[in-house]
């Protein structure tokens, strides 16, 4: 009996160590938030902005200029900002309910705000 229990435990541990690691779980988008992910398809552990609190916020380093996907679950317009090394600020309007599984603006996302910036050009 002892030998079969030891064997069973050993087999279970081997199976666990050989099993592939699960992909990073997606962050669930809560109402009132705009979330960004570093991988397409809302994968890779994301960062979310609470639009109900409003105001300007710089994106977390995990998604700053690397937001391959996003989802907006807010009932207001938000503005994603890009600050290039040269040239004017760019601003992308994000409406409530907008999302992209593979966002073409992924390399430009620096910050987000609930107020449009008059010194930024549409991007």
């Amino acid at each position: 009996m002892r030998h079969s229990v030891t064997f069973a435990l050993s087999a279970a541990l081997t199976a666990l160590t050989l099993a592939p690691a699960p992909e990073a779980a997606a962050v669930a988008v809560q109402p009132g938030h705009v979330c960004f992910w570093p991988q397409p398809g809302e994968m890779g552990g994301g960062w979310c902005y609470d639009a109900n609190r409003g105001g300007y916020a710089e994106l977390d380093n995990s998604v700053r200029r690397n937001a391959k996907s996003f989802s907006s679950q807010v009932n207001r317009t938000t503005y994603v900002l890009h600050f290039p090394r040269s040239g004017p600020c760019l601003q992308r309007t994000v409406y409530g309910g907008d999302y992209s599984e593979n966002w073409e603006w992924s390399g430009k996302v620096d910050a987000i705000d609930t107020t449009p910036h008059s010194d930024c050009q549409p991007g």
Side-chain angles (χ1 to χ4, degrees):
M1 172 79 172
R2 183 179 178 110
H3 180 8
S4 61
V5 169
T6 302
F7 178 75
L9 286 173
S10 176
L13 287 174
T14 300
L16 285 174
T17 58
L18 294 178
E23 281 193 49
V27 171
V29 183
Q30 300 296 316
H33 289 78
V34 180
C35 295
F36 302 88
W37 293 270
Q39 296 176 14
E42 300 179 0
M43 298 300 294
W47 177 85
C48 296
Y49 168 75
D50 184 352
N52 291 326
R53 290 179 47 194
Y56 174 87
E58 292 187 0
L59 273 68
D60 182 77
N61 285 337
S62 65
V63 291
R64 185 178 175 136
R65 295 198 180 186
N66 188 37
K68 301 268 187 330
S69 54
F70 83 94
S71 179
S72 173
Q73 297 301 314
V74 300
N75 60 1
R76 67 189 304 176
T77 303
T78 56
Y79 303 89
V80 176
L81 307 169
H82 172 56
F83 305 110
R85 288 195 171 103
S86 63
C89 167
L90 297 176
Q91 178 172 263
R92 179 87 181 241
T93 303
V94 174
Y95 300 97
D98 280 357
Y99 71 95
S100 177
E101 296 288 319
N102 196 10
W103 199 19
E104 74 279 357
W105 235 57
S106 66
K108 297 180 181 176
V109 184
D110 291 313
I112 187 169
D113 202 340
T114 51
T115 304
H117 288 229
S118 61
D119 58 337
C120 293
Q121 296 180 356

